Amino acid sequence: MSATMPRTESVFEEFSDAKRKIQEVFEQIKEQIEAVQTFIEHVVTIDTDHVLSSDTIGDLNELVVKVTGVHEILSRDQMKVAFFGRTSNGKSTCINAMLWDKVLPSGIGHTTSCFLAVEGSGKPNPYIITEDGEEQAVEKVQKLAHALSGAAEKLTEDSLIKICWPKNKCRILNAEVCIVDSPGVDVTPDLDLWIDKHCLDADVFILVANAESTMMQAEKNFFHKVSECFSKPNIFILHNRWDASAQEPDMMDEVRAQHMERAEAFLTDELKIYNSAEAQNRVFFISAREMLNTRIARTKGIPENPNNFPDGFKSRQLEFEEFEKKFEECITRSAIATKFSQHVSGGESTVKHLSKMLANLNTSALVVRNIANDEADTQKMRKNFNKEQMEKVTKKVHEQISTITDNVSNQVAAALDI
Ligand code: GDP
């Protein structure tokens, strides 16, 4: 896989493309196993001396179950980004800005008291799914996820509500990205539990910090835990509320340099996950609220008036878009490498196993055939499955398997070569 992704408009699509190609490979593998199964069923009918090992049938069934399982996991695989930070730093607003809509509840006084995952849905209207699998109206999320709501269904901080949003309304959801919002890291979290329950399959972590204050130890602690669980986690740091800096233009450069220095030191010296240049590419200064308002207005077709833009608006907008571009490249590359590589090696070993099994089977089939030739009622057996038929099936299946064995690495490598 190339070290850098091409920065195209549709970089997200590479995940869906790779997923589709790998799914096709697994479908082919499944077809071949089923062909072998059919063949074995024929052989068993004439194998009266039980020359065939009884393990063969069991092994084949196991392979089918395994391949079907991988295929199912593949169909559910998606890219995942998790947002963390202190309460009211603007996590929900930032997610909404990326979704171009007010999908998550946010605002002063609204404190998200549990995890919220936003996923694309094929249905025309949004809805939510609670942890017990119950589907409810999307409006209920306000009540359920609000720390102060006093809702009858009291949720713990580590509970998860899934918000299923029509994917045709958001490009990012359509691209199979799942976005997770978390309760503030200042609410005495059980970090291990949070990570175990919601983060182990995350491709990217985003810390939404408040540009008006310094990064807190509570925020740092969470990312220390994350870097204990991942060898090299993908982390972005967003200094949000950067619009407030426009109020103090004299201090702006100084404040930015100080935030950058601290964030860089955190990613390099403390977490030891990036070098200095890499770290600088992971830190952004944004205004989620401005971005969300601008995008909602644009969606509604309200014309923009540059005369009304607050000071520094354009550069904050460009920086937000630059963050999104880097984020897309990063999550796509990471998800393809981590989510699919394990399936790829699983697929390869399945095909090799099958190929070996067939080689053994060839030998067994020869023995079975010889026995059949010696038997008095050969005529009857040949009627069911004669020598030519057996040779034909053996040859065909073996050829197909060999082709798949040869192709699987190439196909998968091609799928991953982005
Ligand atoms: P969360 O608790 O981290 O999810 O924070 P919210 O997204 O709910 O935001 C808390 C409050 O901060 C809301 O009133 C937002 O409108 C406000 N807010 C969010 N982002 C910005 C920003 O970039 N600039 C300013 N000035 N306010 C913001």
Side-chain angles (χ1 to χ4, degrees):
M1 198 188 317
S2 53
T4 51
M5 301 254 305
R7 289 172 60 174
T8 62
E9 283 301 301
S10 57
V11 70
F12 273 151
E13 281 170 23
E14 292 176 16
F15 178 83
S16 312
D17 282 352
K19 179 167 160 174
R20 201 188 54 249
K21 283 180 191 158
I22 295 168
Q23 276 177 313
E24 280 166 11
V25 172
F26 271 87
E27 272 155 28
Q28 285 183 43
I29 295 173
K30 195 169 167 223
E31 270 172 31
Q32 300 313 317
I33 302 175
E34 282 165 354
V36 176
Q37 271 186 316
T38 310
F39 169 67
I40 296 285
E41 276 160 19
H42 283 301
V43 174
V44 165
T45 58
I46 59 165
D47 182 18
T48 47
D49 285 356
H50 305 293
V51 175
L52 269 184
S53 149
S54 56
D55 291 349
T56 311
I57 295 168
D59 277 3
L60 274 172
N61 289 341
E62 256 177 46
L63 280 184
V64 173
V65 171
K66 201 167 146 191
V67 171
T68 309
V70 173
H71 199 268
E72 266 170 36
I73 294 172
L74 266 169
S75 64
R76 284 198 307 270
D77 268 343
Q78 51 186 352
M79 299 180 263
K80 183 167 172 182
V81 50
F83 281 73
F84 292 90
R86 264 185 310 149
T87 306
S88 288
N89 277 3
K91 297 179 292 299
S92 314
T93 310
C94 187
I95 294 171
N96 287 342
M98 291 171 82
L99 295 169
W100 288 64
D101 207 345
K102 284 187 178 163
V103 175
L104 292 173
S106 75
I108 296 172
H110 186 284
T111 333
T112 314
S113 64
C114 65
F115 280 79
L116 295 171
V118 189
E119 282 183 18
S121 126
K123 296 188 184 172
N125 295 313
Y127 58 95
I128 61 166
I129 301 178
T130 49
E131 243 176 14
D132 54 13
E134 199 188 331
E135 206 173 298
Q136 298 195 36
V138 73
E139 293 73 24
K140 272 217 103 177
V141 78
Q142 291 273 4
K143 205 172 164 200
L144 289 172
H146 196 310
L148 307 173
S149 72
E153 307 93 326
K154 192 72 193 149
L155 295 168
T156 53
E157 281 155 12
D158 58 287
S159 327
L160 176 85
I161 298 178
K162 218 185 263 186
I163 302 179
C164 305
W165 200 261
K167 59 181 165 193
N168 57 3
K169 286 193 177 172
C170 299
R171 177 177 160 268
I172 190 166
L173 298 180
N174 200 27
E176 304 187 79
V177 176
C178 165
I179 306 182
V180 174
D181 192 11
S182 59
V185 287
D186 44 334
V187 294
T188 59
D190 182 342
L191 296 180
D192 291 313
L193 185 64
W194 280 20
I195 292 172
D196 281 355
K197 262 188 100 172
H198 303 295
C199 303
L200 291 180
D201 59 344
D203 301 292
V204 171
F205 295 88
I206 296 182
L207 166 62
V208 180
N210 186 346
E212 292 166 287
S213 63
T214 46
M215 220 189 293
M216 305 287 282
Q217 197 53 44
E219 291 166 320
K220 289 183 167 189
N221 288 346
F222 176 76
F223 286 92
H224 275 289
K225 280 270 172 210
V226 165
S227 65
E228 281 168 23
C229 301
F230 293 77
S231 58
K232 195 178 176 191
N234 288 305
I235 299 176
F236 286 86
I237 298 179
L238 303 179
H239 289 290
N240 192 33
R241 297 168 170 269
W242 193 232
D243 50 313
S245 67
Q247 315 298 322
E248 296 173 69
D250 303 345
M251 301 291 289
M252 228 170 93
D253 290 344
E254 212 176 302
V255 172
R256 185 181 173 115
Q258 194 182 55
H259 278 316
M260 183 55 101
E261 195 184 310
R262 287 182 182 166
E264 193 188 318
F266 177 56
L267 296 172
T268 55
D269 304 338
E270 275 192 51
L271 297 183
K272 302 191 193 320
I273 52 172
Y274 300 130
N275 63 31
S276 180
E278 287 170 333
Q280 287 188 15
N281 270 323
R282 297 302 182 111
V283 183
F284 295 88
F285 293 79
I286 59 153
S287 169
R289 188 164 72 183
E290 275 178 357
M291 211 57 219
L292 175 62
N293 290 342
T294 307
R295 288 180 167 179
I296 287 176
R298 206 177 279 180
T299 310
K300 287 182 180 159
I302 300 168
E304 280 172 12
N305 181 355
N307 295 327
N308 292 341
F309 289 162
D311 284 348
F313 168 80
K314 209 66 207 166
S315 67
R316 287 189 293 276
Q317 185 182 37
L318 288 175
E319 192 150 346
F320 193 89
E321 287 166 358
E322 184 60 19
F323 149 67
E324 287 182 307
K325 200 184 269 186
K326 293 229 168 78
F327 159 74
E328 286 179 23
E329 291 170 359
C330 175
I331 196 168
T332 307
R333 191 175 61 222
S334 162
I336 289 177
T338 56
K339 303 243 149 63
F340 298 151
S341 61
Q342 56 188 358
H343 298 322
V344 170
S345 46
E348 273 181 315
S349 72
T350 303
V351 170
K352 279 181 189 147
H353 188 141
L354 194 61
S355 192
K356 207 167 147 194
M357 203 188 270
L358 258 209
N360 294 339
L361 209 61
N362 242 347
T363 323
S364 308
L366 275 172
V367 179
V368 175
R369 199 165 58 215
N370 289 339
I371 292 166
N373 284 338
D374 290 345
E375 298 251 342
D377 57 350
T378 312
Q379 275 315 101
K380 190 176 148 218
M381 265 182 242
R382 282 194 175 163
K383 199 172 148 214
N384 291 332
F385 204 74
N386 67 31
K387 190 175 167 183
E388 288 76 38
Q389 275 177 314
M390 184 180 274
E391 258 165 14
K392 220 167 123 190
V393 176
T394 314
K395 199 161 166 259
K396 190 168 164 246
V397 175
H398 213 158
E399 271 171 13
Q400 285 171 342
I401 292 292
S402 306
T403 313
I404 288 274
T405 314
D406 293 344
N407 284 350
V408 73
S409 308
N410 295 340
Q411 291 187 36
V412 166
L416 298 181
D417 188 23
I418 49 169

